[in-house]
Each structure stands twice: as C-alpha cells, then as structure tokens.
Amino acid sequence: MNRKYRKTLIAGNWKMNKTPSETKAFMTELKAMLPKGRWCDIALCVPSVCIPAAVRALRDTRVGVGAENVNANASGAYTGEVSTSMLVDAGCKYVIIGHSERRAMGETDADVNAKTLAALEAGLVPIVCCGESLEQRESGITEEWISMQIKLALANIGEDKIRKVVIAYEPIWAIGTGKTATPEQAEEVCQHIRGVVRKLFGSKNARAMTIVYGGSMNDKNAFELLAQPDIDGGLIGGASLVAEKFVKIIEDANQPTA
Ligand code: PEP
C-alpha cells in the first residue's frame, strides 16, 4: 500500500451467495464490528437483488455498496440485465467488471471496455479485473497477457476519469482455490500493471491508481499481501462472506505503513 499517493480499498465480492434477508443480518453484524479508523475505503459487491437491503443497512456507514456486473447499454431489450443508471439510482457506488467468472461465461475484452466506460460515465467506480490462467503463468506469458487485458479494458478512457478506475489483479488459478499468490508474485504483477498504466496515462495517474489483489485473500494472509508497495487493497470472495474475516482484513489494511 502507499497511502500517500492513493486510496486503499477492501472490497468484497459475494458472487451468488446470500439472500436479501441474509444480507440484512450480515450488515447488522458487520456494522457492530467495523473498526473506527478511516484509512481505507470499504465496499461490498453483492447480488443485484441484495443491493436494496445492503444500501439500507449501510446507509449510516462508510461502507459503499457495489454490483457484481452491469450492462453497458443505457436501456432497452436486454432481458435479465441491469444498467448503470439503475445501479446508481439503487445506491451503488462500485461495480465489478470483467471478473474471470463472467469472462468464462463469454464476456469479452470489448465488453469489459464498454462496461468500464459506461460505469465511469454514470459516476460509478469500476473495479476492473484482470488475471492469467495457470497455463498462461506456466508458459511465461503472464505479463504479456495482463498488458493486453489492461490496454483493452482502459481504451478510450479520458485522463479526467482514469483515476476513478480500480484495477483488481486476480490470477484465475488463485480464485476460490485456496491457492494464494505469494506476496512477491502478486506484487510483481501489480507493479507491472502500474507500469502499463504509466505508459498509457502518465506517471502521475499511475502513481494515483488503486490496484488491488484478489485470489483467496483472507484474514490469515492479507497483512503480508497488503504490505507490498503496489498492492493497494483486496478484492475478496470467500472471506467476505464471514463478517469476522472481512473485518480482520479491513483491520490489516488499516495498519500504519512506513
Ligand atoms: C473473487 O471472487 O474475486 C475472489 C478473489 O474470490 P476468492 O477470494 O474466494 O478467491
């Protein structure tokens, strides 16, 4: 983390877990446990139907609510989809874009770019995911792959908006598998991502961009990962479903840094 130049963000990704009633119960538990420090931003990205319950429960807190996906179109015949304006009106602040689980369902780099542009236009903070498969890592093309994903995801974003984007480095082999990238592996790629952003948007924007790590981050390994200079937080799946674990990660992110 480097709090001098950028925000730290701890964001949960609930995926397809918890009902609206369970959301209300979880948020009540979470609120009672939240640390008082104000150093890091906190978000919970929840299933669409849980957004109203989450927004209601978190109204008087500094925890932002996010969605797990969005459609880039403004409105129309897109059965089952949700637009950026719907998310904003429902009280969302964040939206996850390009998660590997959605890419596996057919989301392309062009979709990720269109969704990112639409989210920024609507005033949402896009948490744009990138990451390599185990096969890609083992064949030595991780950096090349990530560079391509970042360039395509951030195409046509104006200099005025780029600092609102959060990038999440999520190696696919570490998501939901219990296999965390080592702090060194995660730092190496997050540093590389910052380098790509520097080439595209200049050093000031690269220095100001929040880049988080995701992939089996939990209450046991967060501290070491967050101690890396280019890891500005976490996107947390499984551990964000358990209030004590999520709060412990927030506390780790609130530790003073050198
Ligand atoms: C995720 O879904 O973005 C994620 C990182 O999941 P997990 O923490 O469970 O690996």
Side-chain angles (χ1 to χ4, degrees):
M1 292 181 291
N2 185 331
R3 288 201 197 94
K4 188 169 167 204
Y5 294 115
R6 45 195 180 255
K7 286 183 174 178
T8 301
L9 172 67
I10 298 297
N13 172 19
W14 277 5
K15 313 192 188 202
M16 199 171 73
N17 292 294
K18 298 198 191 288
T19 61
S21 313
E22 289 166 346
T23 301
K24 188 180 171 194
F26 178 96
M27 298 310 177
T28 308
E29 196 188 348
L30 178 74
K31 272 162 67 169
M33 293 167 66
L34 275 179
K36 298 281 173 282
R38 299 188 65 86
W39 288 329
C40 86
D41 287 357
I42 307 168
L44 271 165
C45 300
V46 302
S48 293
V49 291
C50 299
I51 290 170
V55 169
R56 221 175 296 124
L58 296 172
R59 191 163 284 151
D60 52 349
T61 72
R62 63 201 165 86
V63 182
V65 175
E68 300 174 9
N69 183 33
V70 71
N71 189 290
N73 294 288
S75 63
Y78 303 100
T79 303
E81 294 290 287
V82 170
S83 72
T84 55
S85 60
M86 291 173 188
L87 295 183
V88 171
D89 193 63
C92 281
K93 191 171 168 205
Y94 298 87
V95 58
I96 297 174
I97 294 173
H99 192 282
S100 59
E101 288 157 14
R102 295 217 60 88
R103 290 182 189 255
M105 291 178 220
E107 189 162 287
T108 65
D109 287 307
D111 295 330
V112 172
N113 178 238
K115 290 177 183 202
T116 304
L117 290 167
L120 288 169
E121 196 54 42
L124 291 163
V125 175
I127 303 176
V128 179
C129 303
C130 62
E132 81 288 2
S133 65
L134 189 57
E135 203 183 355
Q136 287 166 329
R137 173 160 282 265
E138 285 173 348
S139 47
I141 59 161
T142 298
E143 293 199 349
E144 209 177 308
W145 178 257
I146 299 286
S147 301
M148 184 205 67
Q149 284 191 318
I150 296 296
K151 279 181 198 159
L152 295 172
L154 304 184
N156 303 313
I157 295 179
E159 289 254 354
D160 55 324
K161 296 230 165 75
I162 192 63
R163 289 190 193 195
K164 273 207 96 178
V165 176
V166 171
I167 294 182
Y169 167 54
E170 298 213 309
I172 298 169
W173 48 271
I175 297 179
T177 58
K179 275 190 214 157
T180 322
T182 64
E184 294 73 26
Q185 284 173 323
E187 167 63 17
E188 192 178 29
V189 181
C190 288
Q191 198 182 90
H192 172 72
I193 292 170
R194 203 174 301 287
V196 176
V197 174
R198 189 175 302 118
K199 279 197 196 124
L200 295 170
F201 297 97
S203 23
K204 279 197 181 151
N205 287 319
R207 199 173 60 182
M209 179 172 273
T210 296
I211 301 174
V212 304
Y213 167 78
S216 300
M217 189 189 264
N218 59 38
D219 49 321
K220 305 274 185 313
N221 59 27
F223 186 80
E224 265 191 289
L225 286 159
L226 296 170
Q228 302 301 311
D230 287 285
I231 301 179
D232 305 311
L235 181 56
I236 297 124
S240 72
L241 294 166
V242 182
E244 302 95 72
K245 291 187 183 179
F246 192 56
V247 167
K248 170 70 170 60
I249 298 170
I250 295 165
E251 282 168 355
D252 285 347
N254 279 346
Q255 293 300 315
T257 47

